[in-house]
Amino acid sequence: MDKQKSIQVLQAYATGLATQSRAHKVQSQLFASQGLSKLAEKYAGHADEEMDNVNKFVERIIDLGGEAKVEASPAFPIYADPVEFIKADLKISVEQVPVLMQTTSCLADDFKTYDLLREYALDEEEDMYWMQGQLELIEKIGVQNWLVQQI
């Protein structure tokens, strides 16, 4: 087991997830202000799950003898249009889920880190399928009908 490799991967994902969590929390607040309470709840819960994963990753970094860091995060766009937000979030997922799965498989000799990343990868894949399903639903029933479902 290469502890340094595990620490580097966990730190990278902790940093990225912390950024995503903040973005999802802000989007949730924006959706709530638009009266889209179901969508707001979905993304508030998603933000909380992401921070839970950040905490697990940091704990594992410490267990491995690494130094957990708070690294600078890139700025993130905020979308007033919920459909555009889902499209943008889906694009990120489609690009990152395969990378996450490959990275996870490379850490198979570090069972605990592997399990943490695998659980996270499965959750991200599920979120990706949910977003794809929402966009398909919008195509079928129209954006206005979909928005009514989000109230």
Side-chain angles (χ1 to χ4, degrees), residues 47-104:
D48 292 342
E49 285 177 4
E50 289 165 336
M51 281 312 294
D52 287 345
N53 282 319
V54 168
N55 293 334
K56 290 175 187 176
F57 294 171
V58 168
E59 186 176 300
R60 180 64 179 153
I61 291 168
I62 293 167
D63 287 348
L64 290 168
E67 179 182 349
K69 302 173 195 167
V70 176
E71 296 180 344
S73 299
F76 50 85
I78 302 301
Y79 295 85
D81 181 334
V83 177
E84 290 305 311
F85 171 73
I86 290 174
K87 287 178 181 177
D89 210 27
L90 176 60
K91 182 178 185 280
I92 292 167
S93 289
V94 166
E95 293 170 356
Q96 293 302 314
V97 165
V99 173
L100 175 57
M101 289 182 174
Q102 177 148 4
T103 301
T104 300

Side-chain angles (χ1 to χ4, degrees), residues 3-143:
K3 285 184 180 183
Q4 281 308 114
K5 182 178 177 183
S6 292
I7 291 167
Q8 288 174 344
V9 168
L10 288 166
Q11 184 62 55
Y13 278 106
T15 299
L17 268 177
T19 301
Q20 281 184 312
S21 177
R22 286 192 304 276
H24 287 148
K25 188 63 92 175
V26 171
Q27 282 295 158
S28 170
Q29 292 171 312
L30 180 59
F31 295 149
S33 75
Q34 294 173 340
L36 304 172
S37 60
K38 289 182 182 176
L39 202 55
E41 287 175 26
K42 169 74 175 170
Y43 280 97
H46 197 56
D48 292 342
E49 285 177 4
E50 289 165 336
M51 281 312 294
D52 287 345
N53 282 319
V54 168
N55 293 334
K56 290 175 187 176
F57 294 171
V58 168
E59 186 176 300
R60 180 64 179 153
I61 291 168
I62 293 167
D63 287 348
L64 290 168
E67 179 182 349
K69 302 173 195 167
V70 176
E71 296 180 344
S73 299
F76 50 85
I78 302 301
Y79 295 85
D81 181 334
V83 177
E84 290 305 311
F85 171 73
I86 290 174
K87 287 178 181 177
D89 210 27
L90 176 60
K91 182 178 185 280
I92 292 167
S93 289
V94 166
E95 293 170 356
Q96 293 302 314
V97 165
V99 173
L100 175 57
M101 289 182 174
Q102 177 148 4
T103 301
T104 300
S105 68
C106 290
L107 296 172
D109 63 337
D110 176 355
F111 300 128
K112 187 164 185 176
T113 300
Y114 173 84
D115 286 344
L116 288 173
L117 287 173
R118 182 178 177 277
E119 180 182 321
Y120 166 57
L122 292 171
D123 184 56
E124 286 300 301
E125 184 180 45
E126 181 181 314
D127 291 336
M128 181 178 69
Y129 292 144
W130 179 85
M131 289 182 281
Q132 288 171 334
Q134 294 306 298
L135 292 174
E136 289 170 7
L137 185 60
I138 290 166
E139 282 292 316
K140 288 179 182 174
I141 67 172
V143 69

